[in-house]
Amino acid sequence: MRTANFARKILSVHPNLFCTHPSRTLPDTSKFLFSNSARRFPFPSIISGRRGFAMSSAAEEQPQAAAPTKSEGEDAAPAQPELPPLSPAEFRVYNQMAEKMDYFHNHFRAQWTILHDAATSGHRPRNMTLKQFIDTGLQFAQHLTAHHGIEERFVFPMLARKMPEFRGGRAELLQQHRQIHKGMDQFEDYLRRCRSRETELELAVLREKMDSWGGVLWTHLDQEVKTLGAENMRRYWTMEEVRNMPM
């Protein structure tokens, strides 16, 4: 309910929030970044898809189960036809939603990096007061809540007409939203209590409240953009349909 109300409030003030051209400048957070902040949040095994652990030797020695044989008359699943290469102009059209989404996501990545670098190093940026630092965290949570609210109310239902990745409550991208907000609610509540001086900000505690959902956040930011990329969009939509999408 809070997400929907906040999204409606944002839309009433900024009705063209999702029509922003990539050339428009968001609040500059780069000046607060540490020298090492250009690196991504350290979840390589989650983001890259690597397992991050080795299979035990005992497991390696286990014989592989035989693949089930097809019964007579059972047809093999039809292979997807190989599509011809896109021209540069076609690619720009089909990739436009991915570019716009990545523009917003880069803002979230920058804000997260400010907060997590400080929580990891134990020192907030020198040119940020305690109040500014806490407000950066609260703004991050509010902006991400509004972003997800707009996606779920307007963008995902539109895409779900043809794309199974956005269809139904069990769609992976929607499930990632739920996982993100489960952790982010605790993160936001902690910062609110710090802001009202109910408790003192401890960067080690802040890191704990970020690490529980950081992996799924960064996976989501990458996966959503990839899903909206040209090679996937062309499988479901015509160029004219993509041009007319309201985002």
Side-chain angles (χ1 to χ4, degrees):
M1 180 65 70
R2 184 176 64 179
T3 297
N5 290 338
F6 192 83
R8 283 194 291 270
K9 181 178 178 182
I10 291 294
L11 284 169
S12 67
V13 179
H14 302 290
N16 296 320
L17 180 61
F18 260 85
C19 297
T20 305
H21 190 276
S23 63
R24 180 178 173 182
T25 303
L26 282 170
D28 182 12
T29 57
S30 60
K31 62 183 178 181
F32 297 129
L33 295 177
F34 287 72
S35 60
N36 63 347
S37 63
R39 71 179 189 278
R40 288 188 160 196
F41 184 62
F43 279 88
S45 63
I46 297 175
I47 295 174
S48 66
R50 295 193 295 270
R51 291 288 183 182
F53 56 86
M55 183 182 293
S56 67
S57 58
E60 290 175 345
E61 294 171 0
Q62 294 296 325
Q64 296 293 324
T69 57
K70 290 184 178 292
S71 59
E72 291 186 9
E74 182 180 354
D75 294 330
Q80 285 191 334
E82 185 174 346
L83 300 175
L86 293 170
S87 70
E90 291 170 333
F91 181 86
R92 284 193 295 272
V93 172
Y94 277 115
N95 206 52
Q96 63 185 20
M97 288 194 72
E99 290 182 358
K100 292 176 182 178
M101 189 65 74
D102 208 31
Y103 168 71
F104 289 104
H105 286 190
N106 280 336
H107 180 58
F108 297 130
R109 291 181 182 111
Q111 286 189 311
W112 172 277
T113 302
I114 292 170
L115 298 162
H116 195 268
D117 276 3
T120 301
S121 67
H123 302 283
R124 69 174 184 271
R126 293 180 181 178
N127 52 353
M128 294 182 78
T129 65
L130 178 60
K131 179 181 180 297
Q132 288 174 328
F133 181 77
I134 293 173
D135 285 347
T136 296
L138 291 173
Q139 289 169 7
F140 169 80
Q142 292 165 1
H143 293 169
L144 189 58
T145 297
H147 179 77
H148 286 173
I150 293 169
E151 284 182 335
E152 293 184 15
R153 185 174 178 183
F154 300 104
V155 182
F156 286 8
M158 173 190 69
L159 296 171
R161 298 203 311 266
K162 291 190 176 184
M163 301 178 74
E165 296 94 331
F166 299 97
R167 192 175 300 147
R170 290 185 292 178
E172 186 175 5
L173 291 171
L174 282 167
Q175 288 297 316
Q176 289 169 353
H177 279 191
R178 306 294 176 264
Q179 295 172 45
I180 289 167
H181 286 274
K182 182 178 179 180
M184 190 170 70
D185 286 349
Q186 298 179 27
F187 162 84
E188 186 176 11
D189 179 68
Y190 176 67
L191 288 179
R192 288 191 184 282
R193 289 188 287 112
C194 294
R195 184 73 169 77
S196 64
R197 299 184 179 179
E198 293 177 41
T199 188
E200 184 177 350
L201 177 68
E202 297 182 43
L203 292 175
V205 174
L206 181 64
R207 178 174 179 176
E208 290 177 3
K209 295 188 179 297
M210 296 181 74
D211 284 352
S212 64
W213 53 285
V216 68
L217 171 68
W218 281 78
T219 297
H220 177 76
L221 295 177
D222 291 341
Q223 184 176 334
E224 192 171 76
V225 171
K226 183 178 180 180
T227 302
L228 295 173
E231 290 302 327
N232 195 45
M233 292 291 286
R234 69 186 298 205
R235 296 185 179 277
Y236 302 101
W237 308 94
T238 66
M239 288 181 62
E240 189 63 25
E241 287 173 329
V242 174
R243 287 193 186 99
N244 292 329
M245 286 180 177
M247 178 174 167

